Amino acid sequence: MAVEDYAASLDSIQAARNRIQGQIRVTQVITSSSLDALAGRSLFFKCELFQRGSPLRSSSSGAFKIRGASNAIFSLSDEQAERGVVTHSSGNHAAAVALAAKLRGIPAHIVVPRNAPKCKVENVERYGGKISWCDPSVESREAVCASVKSKTNAVLVHPFNDPQVISGQGTVALEFLEQVPQLDVIIAPISGGGLISGISIAAKAIKPEIKIIAAEPTGADDAARSKAANSVQTNKQTCTIADGLRASLGSLTWPIVRDFVDEVVTVDDSAILEAMKMCYERLKVVVEPSGAIGLAVALSDKFRSNPAVKHCTNVGIVLSGGNCDLTGLWESLPN
């Protein structure tokens, strides 16, 4: 496929950066010598958990999702914006759409699964999002979202299968490679594929030799199976603590994942929990399961023994979000 056949490009990602620069934060990169020693490599953590995406006085943190949501919403014409926006999400994208809509002064209709984390639902409510509940399945989310869209005539801002959303998420890579130009690898979570798609398009355009590794839970491993089969595979059901990584690849994200992501590495929930614990204890940051999975992959035997990254010494890890119900976390940790 030619570059122009993909849903995003370096040009569209750079345009997104210009469009949203007043709406987002340039998030910092942190390091830990003790984690470097464990990994046997230099690790650089891009802290999207410090991104806008939750109220500053809230106990929860932000997430990368405001990048894509802002780019999509601020790309709308005035006529489109007057109709408001609608989306479906288990949490971080929901809050991001509600916030971006509030910043533009338009209504946001948010379809949320009944099992969404309380802290993420509270973020949507604080930003004035109008919540419609659905069952915790892709089919229910999409059906309720379609119903709300039909009733309100609102514009759909899809969580990942949207060119403007993908381009917005790609701004993570622009910043990361400016902050740490020596990166050999970037590890980022994968679910629907919006984040990893934007990152891989931008990073490979800037630095073609860089490796892009997608981090995925074993209990929601459709991307790994899709790469192995060279065709889209779906999850009939998911079972993972990483609530933000339960979606399946979209029609726009799959071609990018197929052609630009070098490997999909899966890790189980115990590894994710251990990585969360390390983030808390060694990096001193609050990170949700979906955000900690990149560290879990970097410390995994699958990554360490992977010949594709054998000579890579500088590893970038995207800590994608920090919206975590701490009560649930501590109850999940083994005694």
Side-chain angles (χ1 to χ4, degrees), residues 2-320:
V3 173
E4 61 269 18
D5 293 330
Y6 297 103
S9 65
L10 181 61
D11 286 345
S12 73
I13 293 167
Q14 290 171 330
R17 184 183 199 176
N18 293 333
R19 183 177 295 115
I20 67 177
Q21 60 184 349
Q23 318 303 329
I24 67 162
R25 299 185 181 121
V26 175
T27 54
Q28 70 191 81
V29 174
I30 61 176
T31 59
S32 165
S33 58
S34 64
L35 291 178
D36 288 352
L38 274 177
R41 294 177 165 96
S42 297
L43 305 181
F44 300 87
F45 298 89
K46 178 69 167 160
C47 292
E48 285 299 289
L49 50 90
F50 296 147
Q51 188 53 264
R52 296 185 72 173
S54 66
L56 293 178
R57 294 184 181 178
S58 170
S59 61
S60 56
S61 300
F64 74 93
K65 290 285 191 176
I66 189 63
R67 295 175 182 270
S70 291
N71 192 47
I73 288 172
F74 282 87
S75 294
L76 297 175
S77 67
D78 290 343
E79 182 181 358
Q80 290 174 313
E82 287 177 0
R83 293 154 49 191
V85 292
V86 61
T87 196
H88 57 83
S89 167
S90 63
N92 287 337
H93 178 72
V97 168
L99 172 56
K102 181 179 181 180
L103 292 172
R104 183 147 186 194
I106 63 175
H109 305 274
I110 314 294
V111 176
V112 180
R114 292 185 178 87
N115 65 345
K118 182 180 178 182
C119 64
K120 296 184 179 182
V121 174
E122 289 174 345
N123 287 340
V124 176
E125 292 173 335
R126 289 189 184 103
Y127 287 130
K130 301 175 182 180
I131 294 178
S132 296
W133 298 99
C134 68
D135 294 332
S137 69
V138 173
E139 294 78 12
S140 179
R141 284 163 58 147
E142 292 181 346
V144 175
C145 188
S147 175
V148 173
K149 184 176 184 296
S150 176
K151 291 176 183 177
T152 63
N153 198 33
V155 178
L156 175 65
V157 180
H158 196 278
F160 51 86
N161 210 43
D162 180 305
Q164 300 292 3
V165 169
I166 294 169
S167 293
Q169 317 306 28
T171 61
V172 171
L174 297 184
E175 291 177 13
F176 211 170
L177 284 171
E178 287 174 356
Q179 293 164 316
V180 193
Q182 70 269 30
L183 289 179
D184 303 308
V185 186
I186 295 178
I187 303 174
I190 189 168
S191 182
L195 175 63
I196 199 79
S197 291
I199 286 175
S200 61
I201 288 282
K204 295 272 188 179
I206 296 167
K207 192 173 184 177
E209 71 275 16
I210 198 168
K211 301 296 183 184
I212 305 297
I213 305 295
E216 186 173 48
T218 55
D221 66 346
D222 63 291
R225 291 185 288 109
S226 296
K227 285 285 281 187
N230 199 35
S231 63
V232 175
Q233 307 294 304
T234 58
N235 293 313
K236 292 183 179 179
Q237 60 183 14
T238 59
C239 183
T240 177
I241 191 174
D243 62 276
L245 304 181
R246 295 172 181 163
S248 294
L249 294 168
S251 59
L252 299 182
T253 57
W254 161 241
I256 301 173
V257 170
R258 180 192 63 207
D259 297 345
F260 288 83
V261 173
D262 294 284
E263 302 275 351
V264 179
V265 178
T266 59
V267 289
D268 61 25
D269 280 5
S270 62
I272 295 172
L273 283 168
E274 184 61 27
M276 289 178 70
K277 185 178 179 183
M278 290 182 185
C279 288
Y280 279 67
E281 294 178 347
R282 306 196 188 196
L283 295 178
K284 311 301 182 186
V285 295
V286 176
V287 61
E288 63 187 271
S290 305
I293 194 171
L295 175 58
V297 164
L299 298 177
S300 69
D301 290 339
K302 291 179 184 177
F303 182 78
R304 293 170 187 265
S305 62
N306 190 328
V309 296
K310 180 180 179 181
H311 301 294
C312 297
T313 58
N314 298 302
V315 180
I317 298 172
V318 179
L319 300 179
S320 58

